[in-house]
Amino acid sequence: MATPDDNGKGGTPCVAILSAVLDMEYLAAAFREAHPGIDLRLGEELGALDQIDAAVCWFPPHGLLARMPKLRLVQSLAAGIEHITADAELPRHLPLCRIVDTGMAAGMKAYVCWAVVQQHRGMRAYVASSAARRWEEQPIESPRHHRVGIAGLGTLGMACAEALAAIGYPVRGWSRSAKEALPAGVEGFHGTAQLDEFLSGCDTLVCLLPLTAETHGFLDAALFAKLPRGAHLINVGRGDHLVEADLQPALDAGQLSAATLDAFSQEPLPPEHPFWGDPRILVTPHIATRTDSLVIARQTLDNLASVRQGRRPANQVDLARGY
Ligand SMILES: NC(=O)C1=CN([C@@H]2O[C@H](COP(=O)(O)OP(=O)(O)OC[C@H]3O[C@@H](n4cnc5c(N)ncnc54)[C@H](OP(=O)(O)O)[C@@H]3O)[C@@H](O)[C@H]2O)C=CC1
Ligand SMILES: O=C(O)C(=O)CO
């Protein structure tokens, strides 16, 4: 029988917020708002590990989850989960869930549309001409003539495809499996057999794949060679999708014209990294989108309640598939 304290979800939840790379204090208030009285553990204050029911993670310290014997749920605070599955000791029998959220999709749509338009319309030139008080037009090409391809037609890729089609770009998407229903103006491709055909029609290529064994190093010289000459690359997936050493040679050769990158193999991007200061490369510091803290807290607590009630939690990852 549920008590008022447990909100009908089976006892006061004990939730750990774990990260080896970020101060997670910012999430605490949202968890307390979502469940006043929650037993929250974070930072150095994890207490008895055998009391923890659920762990919310962003690059959790390796080996720690395996030392929580009563753990029932591993929750990524992000859409991606490779930062958790990289832990060789991850208890793989437990449900691992990720965040799926309309607010996150809205942020990604805004970033990707901005990234496409800023390059296609030459918007960066206006920053310079404005500073120099010059009234100077860049060439205006109709979006109808600029084909945008999205590798990864999942929650975020599909939202971006729909948004780009709505502002007039011919859009194509590539996924592992065939899509039965696609938004108007979006053409679908799937599997390795259709990859080359997909790439041949991408004046801008957006990477929105999850990072898996199959997609690691996806953006390499061989792939760039299959794009139309002068294509623009946008990587909002993960840094390790890109073979970083292959990017500047492709730009030097004119095979690519520009790159807008939000994710990097090493974050923060080290100060000596050659991408900094290259006028053809626009670097943003992994800010394409974020999830509202309260959404993370609510999805975690709902998922823990589901697990406690013997139900499948929402947005559980298929660990065999890797996403
Ligand atoms: N920069 C940022 O701020 C952020 C980056 N991200 C990144 O975006 C990624 C995508 O998120 P989301 O859309 O929610 O993920 P989803 O799991 O919803 O979608 C993944 C898509 O990739 C496709 N895919 C996976 N593996 C392959 C493959 N081997 N070949 C072809 N297609 C493949 C899937 O195909 P199918 O449909 O057939 O399953 C699916 O269409 C995240 O994993 C994360 O890395 C996410 C949020 C913020
Ligand atoms: O949700 C994700 O996977 C992110 O990268 C958020 O920054």
Side-chain angles (χ1 to χ4, degrees):
M1 181 72 157
T3 67
D5 175 56
D6 66 35
N7 215 7
K9 292 171 184 171
T12 300
C14 180
V15 177
I17 310 182
L18 308 176
S19 177
V21 299
L22 276 189
D23 180 351
M24 305 305 282
E25 191 59 47
Y26 81 97
L27 271 182
F31 274 87
R32 293 198 176 100
E33 181 180 340
H35 191 117
I38 188 173
D39 182 355
L40 202 58
R41 315 278 179 90
L42 70 166
E44 305 296 305
E45 313 297 323
L46 291 181
L49 297 184
D50 63 358
Q51 294 171 339
I52 295 170
D53 301 313
V56 185
C57 304
W58 178 251
F59 290 92
H62 285 190
L64 186 53
L65 294 167
R67 287 169 39 221
M68 300 178 174
K70 304 242 175 79
L71 195 64
R72 308 193 64 177
L73 170 73
V74 182
Q75 174 74 51
S76 171
L77 60 73
I81 48 96
E82 80 299 331
H83 54 98
I84 299 172
T85 53
D87 178 356
E89 294 174 62
L90 173 70
R92 294 178 73 89
H93 62 284
L94 293 176
L96 167 57
C97 298
R98 70 193 194 97
I99 298 292
V100 173
D101 170 49
T102 51
M104 180 190 271
M108 187 58 84
K109 279 193 279 194
Y111 180 100
V112 169
C113 288
W114 161 80
V116 169
V117 171
Q118 62 85 20
Q119 179 61 25
H120 171 231
R121 297 287 306 274
M123 294 300 184
R124 278 198 276 167
Y126 296 117
V127 177
S129 59
S130 175
R133 300 165 177 255
R134 274 197 321 265
W135 184 270
E136 194 172 79
E137 272 191 29
Q138 296 302 314
I140 300 180
E141 178 201 36
S142 164
R144 280 185 295 123
H145 304 305
H146 189 92
R147 300 158 297 174
V148 182
I150 303 183
L153 213 43
T155 309
L156 301 176
M158 193 68 91
C160 293
E162 191 167 16
L164 286 160
I167 54 172
Y169 289 95
V171 179
R172 47 178 55 203
W174 181 69
S175 49
R176 215 164 64 118
S177 56
K179 300 288 162 225
E180 280 177 11
L182 287 167
V186 179
E187 191 183 359
F189 297 81
H190 68 277
T192 43
Q194 293 185 0
L195 178 59
D196 289 4
E197 190 188 351
F198 163 75
L199 293 171
S200 69
C202 298
D203 298 312
T204 287
L205 172 66
V206 181
C207 177
L208 258 169
L209 291 164
L211 187 63
T212 66
E214 287 175 22
T215 66
H216 194 280
F218 174 72
L219 302 169
D220 65 0
L223 178 141
F224 300 151
K226 294 174 183 163
L227 294 170
R229 191 163 172 76
H232 170 211
L233 172 68
I234 299 173
N235 186 18
V236 272
R238 289 288 186 255
D240 284 341
H241 283 130
L242 173 64
V243 177
E244 290 188 348
D246 287 358
L247 179 61
Q248 283 162 309
L251 290 163
D252 293 342
Q255 181 54 26
L256 296 181
S257 57
T260 306
L261 307 178
D262 188 56
F264 303 87
S265 292
Q266 190 182 343
E267 295 180 3
L269 191 64
E272 67 281 4
H273 198 286
F275 288 175
W276 289 120
D278 185 329
R280 305 163 301 181
I281 301 175
L282 181 52
V283 170
T284 58
H286 202 139
I287 48 72
T289 191
R290 283 288 151 77
T291 304
D292 185 87
S293 300
L294 204 48
V295 170
I296 296 170
R298 288 190 174 134
Q299 291 195 13
T300 303
L301 293 167
D302 286 350
N303 280 342
L304 178 58
S306 295
V307 172
R308 283 171 156 184
Q309 291 162 9
R311 288 186 284 115
R312 188 180 163 85
N315 306 315
Q316 184 173 344
V317 167
D318 177 344
L319 281 171
R321 204 175 60 161
Y323 69 100

